[in-house]
Amino acid sequence: MRQREEVGRVPAHLTAVWLVGCALTGLQTQVVLVALFAGGPAHLAVALAVMAPLGAAVFAGLGTAARPIVPLTRRPRGLWVWAVGVHGLGTIGAFGAAVANFRINGPGDGLLYYLTGGACHALAAALFLPGLRVRLGALGAATVLAAVGVYAVRDAAQPPPLDEWITANGVDRALLRVGDPPPGYALRVLGASGDGFGAGYERSRSAGLHLGVERAGHDTRRADARGCPVPFGESIRCTDDGGGRQLVTYEGDHERRELRLRRDGLVYTVAMEGSHPDLSAARYVLSTLRPATDAELAGLPQPSGRR
């Protein structure tokens, strides 16, 4: 009968440790954040110096009720060894959980982290229970918890699938168009959104080209009847480049050129830097426009897209 009572006390003991661990995890997290924002590393060191003995003292008080099932706590010295061990190991586990939670959920979701921090303290307490099987079980559970955290962090760090990223970021698929890279150039997709799409054409030892795609009417700058931007602080000259293209030359302090093509409700603009731009390469890009392939768009998804 007494053995059955002791077995029944184990779940109650671990539950109590878990609840205290949850509370301490939340409290310590808030103290650390306040210390960092208030004064940086110096204040953080002071906060940790205060929280460490405070947390151990809380568990020492809890450990007095664990004497019937945890022989180590029956002596004063052993009680403090147990309290420091549970608090220290649990805090280390909670710190790992905090890193994983931030990488997966960002700074806004803390409830799961607090619950996991409490579980780390409960597993630490289970390591002090008598019986080899119990300790091996606690060690195995801690290993599984750590493995799940590592897997979740690695999974969150992977870029999401292209279609998922496009949907999550509200990208306008109709704008995802590129021209073939001219000889000697390499194509690199730069970014996409619901308003525009950009790609770069790079070549060693020379200025590259930048292709921008947007819907007609998205550019709110004043323009004349030909669609030429109205000068504002710099001289702008527009000429017909043939094939429906328009060459826009900005002759201010920052000299540059743009080759534009309006087609099917979209405006394609190839921007060129410098006084001697590669017009033939820009014309080649606009003459080979097509939907971008998945391989070319593979650089778009970012790890943050999974959050």
Side-chain angles (χ1 to χ4, degrees):
M1 183 67 178
R2 182 174 181 180
Q3 185 178 2
R4 186 177 299 177
E5 289 179 357
E6 290 183 357
V7 172
R9 288 173 180 173
V10 171
H13 165 65
L14 295 180
T15 300
V17 173
W18 174 69
L19 292 173
V20 172
C22 291
L24 275 178
T25 298
L27 177 61
Q28 290 178 143
T29 300
Q30 297 304 317
V31 170
V32 167
L33 292 177
V34 171
L36 284 175
F37 282 110
H43 285 67
L44 176 61
V46 173
L48 294 178
V50 172
M51 289 301 302
L54 177 61
V58 171
F59 278 107
L62 183 64
T64 57
R67 288 170 180 169
I69 57 174
V70 184
L72 183 63
T73 62
R74 293 169 186 171
R75 296 181 179 180
R77 185 175 180 180
L79 175 63
W80 282 102
V81 170
W82 179 87
V84 172
V86 172
H87 181 246
L89 293 175
T91 300
I92 293 173
F95 176 77
V99 174
N101 180 71
F102 182 81
R103 295 293 301 273
I104 298 170
N105 300 314
D109 187 359
L111 178 59
L112 180 60
Y113 157 59
Y114 297 155
L115 298 177
T116 306
C120 292
H121 286 85
L123 289 174
L127 293 174
F128 291 94
L129 291 172
L132 181 60
R133 290 184 179 180
V134 175
R135 294 175 181 175
L136 289 178
L139 186 60
T143 302
V144 171
L145 183 62
V148 170
V150 171
Y151 174 81
V153 170
R154 291 186 60 183
D155 182 65
Q158 297 300 315
L162 179 61
D163 289 342
E164 178 184 329
W165 186 90
I166 288 176
T167 301
N169 289 273
V171 172
D172 188 345
R173 291 176 179 268
L175 303 178
L176 304 180
R177 302 181 66 87
V178 297
D180 292 336
Y185 286 83
L187 170 63
R188 183 168 68 93
V189 170
L190 302 176
S193 67
D195 300 322
F197 171 71
Y201 296 83
E202 302 170 347
R203 185 174 64 173
S204 60
R205 299 181 180 179
S206 65
L209 310 174
H210 178 274
L211 171 66
V213 186
E214 60 185 18
R215 290 197 175 275
H218 182 264
D219 189 350
T220 58
R221 293 180 299 175
R222 293 180 57 195
D224 60 20
R226 299 178 301 161
C228 184
V230 174
F232 182 77
E234 63 181 341
S235 177
I236 301 177
R237 179 166 48 89
C238 296
T239 56
D240 185 3
D241 192 65
R245 298 182 300 269
Q246 183 184 57
L247 179 61
V248 183
T249 304
Y250 297 85
E251 299 175 336
D253 295 334
H254 179 54
E255 186 175 354
R256 63 196 186 280
R257 287 176 173 82
E258 294 178 350
L259 194 62
R260 294 183 177 181
L261 176 65
R262 294 172 175 84
R263 178 185 296 172
D264 299 328
L266 299 178
V267 179
Y268 304 89
T269 302
V270 178
M272 300 161 282
E273 301 289 338
S275 56
H276 301 286
D278 192 347
L279 277 173
S280 61
R283 295 186 184 109
Y284 182 84
V285 170
L286 293 181
S287 68
T288 57
L289 290 170
R290 56 173 172 77
T293 64
D294 286 351
E296 291 167 335
L297 296 172
L300 281 179
Q302 300 297 323
S304 59
R306 281 193 182 275
R307 293 180 185 171

